[in-house]
């Protein structure tokens, strides 16, 4: 059984998920549609957005490609514009 994650990792997962949700919703995409475009299961998108799952790096690449954004855009803190 995996060890529990630290509070810091939990917060980073939460921030990543919120950022992904912001970008996805900003593009008018449902979780299902993003999953189709990224070739990732909708449940995986949901778990990432809710901070319940740490995505594999390959998934991050696929999601960024599907959103047509640079990968670094997914790592900008939730609620912070890329130019800040």
């Amino acid at each position: 059984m995996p060890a529990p994650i630290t509070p810091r990792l939990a917060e980073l997962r939460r921030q990543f998920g919120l950022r992904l949700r912001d970008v996805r919703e900003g593009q008018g995409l449902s979780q299902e549609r993003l999953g189709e475009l990224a070739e990732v299961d909708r449940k995986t998108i949901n778990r990432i957005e809710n901070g319940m799952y740490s995505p594999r790096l390959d998934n991050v690449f696929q999601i960024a490609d599907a959103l047509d954004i640079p990968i670094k855009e997914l790592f900008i803190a939730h609620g912070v514009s890329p130019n800040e």
Side-chain angles (χ1 to χ4, degrees):
M1 182 170 177
I5 64 169
T6 65
R8 171 134 170 83
L9 285 177
E11 177 59 19
L12 291 170
R13 282 185 187 180
R14 189 183 76 79
Q15 288 291 322
F16 184 87
L18 291 171
R19 178 64 182 158
L20 174 57
R21 179 176 292 142
D22 283 350
V23 174
R24 175 183 60 76
E25 289 178 348
Q27 293 190 14
L29 297 172
S30 66
Q31 289 179 346
E32 185 170 351
R33 183 63 183 139
L34 176 56
E36 290 169 358
L37 293 170
E39 298 180 3
V40 175
D41 186 73
R42 181 206 59 83
K43 289 180 183 179
T44 299
I45 299 295
N46 180 274
R47 289 178 184 128
I48 294 168
E49 287 186 356
N50 288 307
M52 299 169 43
Y53 177 75
S54 179
R56 293 183 6 240
L57 190 54
D58 291 349
N59 291 144
V60 175
F61 294 151
Q62 289 170 267
I63 290 167
D65 285 348
L67 292 168
D68 195 29
I69 61 171
I71 295 162
K72 68 181 181 179
E73 292 292 315
L74 292 174
F75 292 94
I76 295 170
H78 170 70
V80 176
S81 74
N83 296 325
E84 291 184 21

